[in-house]
Amino acid sequence: MAEPIEWLADGAPYNPRFGDRYRSEAALAQARGVFLHGCGLPQAWAGQPHWTILETGFGLGLNFLVAWAAWRADPQRPARLHFVSVEAYPASAEDLRRSTQAFPELQPLADELAAQCWGLRPGVHRLRLDRGRVLLTLAIGEAQPMLRELVCQADAVFLDGFSPARNPDIWSLDTLKAVSRCCRTGTRLATWTIARAVRDNLAPCGFTVQRVAGVPPKRDRLEATYAPAWTPRLRQQPWQDDGPPAQPGHCTVLGAGLAGACVARQLAERGWQVLVLDAGAAPAAGASGLPAGLFSPHDAASDTLPTQLSRAGARCTAQLLQALLRAGEDYALTGVLERRLRGAHPLATPGDAFSAAADAEQLRAAGLPADTPAQWHALAGWVRPARLVEALLAHPAIRFQGGCRTTRVQATPQGWSLRDADDRELHAAPLLVVTAGIGSAALLQMQGLQNVRGQVSLGPCPPTLPVPATPVNGHGHFIPGVPGAQGPVWISGSSFERGDTATDLREAEQRYNLERLQVLLPATGQAIAQGPAPAGWAGVRCASPDRLPLAGPWAAGLWVLTALGARGLTLAPLAAELIAARLHGEPLPLPARLVAALDPRRLRPAA
């Protein structure tokens, strides 16, 4: 639930929880003078590939909007602006818009931001703005634990929040220690307060502090620089082995499915010249050739790592589809109804932007009784994977080469050599990202990866066929109304055959799909069973033992993205962004626990 805000007679927003205003009378001047100027901006970011600002109190987003506007106005701006902010009690999008009405020059930016300020459950959320060039990472929760969950190295820190007298925790020594862990030597910090406790707490955290002239009506403010006289001791984490941030050059992606295309696009947008290799003659020749598939968050009574990952993935995928594809032709953000069968009860989260108990109208539109246990996932829909792969690879810095049957990769002094079955070198790469699905196991000598064959059924959607208004899943899935050459088609499945790598069509699996469909959607399933035999499509997916993807480094200059299982459309864009961010030393789009859980080195053979 959004934080309740009161609006005072002078139009200022007021927080009853802390008994304090969100901003001073000179709010815009303070944002620019205290925070931007206090951190040497915009001059300090000139010519940098990316710049990261860390803030300790997002509030109504004014500091972010001012930094974003300054970035847009600066011809010397970095290619990518990261703004990372913690906030325990996020305001509503409506209040954010209302707050910005006092600053008309910021209103267009506020409208774009407000359109994405939904579903802000406790946790880490990545919002992609300004065509993906401005990345806002919101850590929702109390400052200390959320700062520990962030993986970022700040170039500048905006120390903000309600006054130390009203909200002492956000200015405490423990909070400032957590801030310092996100800093590098030379990181500049700025704040409007000169409270003695804040000054005393900054020094033992490694900051040199100076008191400078303030922005009226305040007489003074603080500026500080992170310059510890000691070597900070940090807990060892997987990403600390990633090495220094990579400098763009030439790189190779092995695999031209959805995972490979997502990685290639992320790297190309950061200045790399990317060669994408695949054994097939064209991209999306494997599992990504699926006629259409679902992307959707997953919810559970306990908020597990997979559910958190799926919500972050669904947000990322939806934003990518809206940026690259044609709605209604290549994808549709329809929402997805998930039936809870076998006596399971839906997770009741009324009003949640990601998932909520399905209401009577949503069930009726699916042709189901009003008392059917079901969950409604609003941020979900269908997409044609091959169309997405094509759009991702359509970048001037990406080149595709098919017919490359790599059977082994070998480390060399210059990087990596890709070799065929006769041990001939096919290609050499200083940086290699392997996205070869189940083939990644043999190439990298991974243990535990599983191949899972899946077959879907499909057929035409005549007007007389009783189909739901939106996709339904929960016992298999059913996607209605996907545009086809001869009219709309339905798609249903999928079978799961572990250890099977064949892609032939099988009558037994067609029967299996139709039998499950009659349980999921009885009227639809019975009507299809009585009609002509459906067509089919089969492919092979790759899964890990813990059902989490592998996304990260495997060896020096060798990275991997695989094991997306049945959730590739939901997770591939996010996992590719994670790899690109780790490679370049940018703030990561996921909390530390999830980054560690996805690290592929968990499958290394035991020494």
Side-chain angles (χ1 to χ4, degrees), residues 180-535:
S180 72
R181 295 189 191 103
C182 297
C183 295
R184 57 169 175 80
T185 299
T187 295
R188 294 179 65 170
L189 177 149
T191 184
W192 51 269
T193 184
I194 57 169
R196 178 62 181 267
V198 175
R199 286 181 283 153
D200 289 348
N201 288 340
L202 283 170
C205 294
F207 290 94
T208 58
V209 184
Q210 59 178 334
R211 186 167 170 168
V212 298
V215 174
K218 293 187 178 294
R219 189 167 58 184
D220 301 293
R221 59 186 173 88
L222 296 182
E223 292 183 3
T225 302
Y226 185 63
W230 61 90
T231 300
R233 290 189 302 172
L234 301 175
R235 291 177 297 170
Q236 189 65 25
Q237 300 287 4
W239 48 87
Q240 290 171 351
D241 295 332
D242 293 352
Q247 298 302 314
H250 291 271
C251 66
T252 298
V253 174
L254 184 54
L258 180 60
C262 287
V263 169
R265 185 61 175 244
Q266 287 284 342
L267 296 180
E269 290 180 349
R270 285 166 173 80
W272 291 83
Q273 295 295 314
V274 186
L275 174 63
V276 180
L277 302 177
D278 196 273
S288 297
L290 178 71
L294 292 181
F295 66 96
S296 174
H298 174 69
D299 228 325
S302 57
D303 199 19
T304 62
L305 290 180
T307 62
Q308 295 172 30
L309 180 64
S310 74
R311 288 199 299 271
R315 188 192 288 269
C316 183
T317 294
Q319 292 171 334
L320 182 67
L321 300 181
Q322 291 169 322
L324 294 182
L325 299 183
R326 299 167 297 176
E329 291 290 328
D330 304 324
Y331 80 99
L333 191 59
T334 56
V336 171
L337 185 77
E338 178 187 351
R339 278 199 70 177
R340 298 294 181 95
L341 299 168
R342 305 181 187 91
H345 296 287
L347 179 64
T349 51
D352 185 83
F354 281 100
S355 305
D359 61 30
E361 177 58 28
Q362 290 161 345
L363 292 166
R364 185 199 64 76
L368 295 171
D371 60 351
T372 302
Q375 193 86 354
W376 174 252
H377 303 295
L379 188 69
W382 60 262
V383 60
R384 299 174 187 241
R387 296 280 181 89
L388 179 55
V389 169
E390 178 184 5
L392 288 164
L393 296 179
H395 187 284
I398 299 175
R399 181 167 63 92
F400 170 77
Q401 180 180 325
C404 181
R405 299 186 179 277
T406 303
T407 60
R408 187 167 70 90
V409 296
Q410 176 181 319
T412 70
Q414 294 76 36
W416 292 88
S417 174
L418 285 69
R419 312 188 78 84
D420 65 11
D422 297 321
D423 204 32
R424 293 175 301 193
E425 183 173 88
L426 299 173
H427 185 72
L431 172 67
L432 175 63
V433 186
V434 175
T435 63
I438 191 62
S440 305
L443 287 168
L444 306 180
Q445 297 183 338
M446 286 181 171
Q447 294 182 344
L449 291 188
Q450 301 173 336
N451 49 302
V452 183
R453 168 192 159 88
Q455 181 171 315
V456 298
S457 305
L458 61 153
C461 283
T464 56
L465 183 67
V467 297
T470 62
V472 179
N473 68 0
H475 188 63
H477 68 262
F478 184 84
I479 308 174
V482 177
Q486 307 300 321
V489 300
W490 58 265
I491 299 171
S492 186
S494 158
S495 60
F496 281 80
E497 299 295 331
R498 299 187 184 278
D500 193 335
T501 59
T503 57
D504 58 308
L505 296 181
R506 301 172 185 174
E507 183 59 33
E509 291 179 43
Q510 294 285 61
R511 290 196 302 270
Y512 172 80
N513 287 339
L514 296 184
E515 287 168 1
R516 289 210 301 171
L517 180 57
Q518 291 184 56
V519 176
L520 181 68
L521 294 167
T524 303
Q526 290 170 12
I528 289 175
Q530 294 169 2

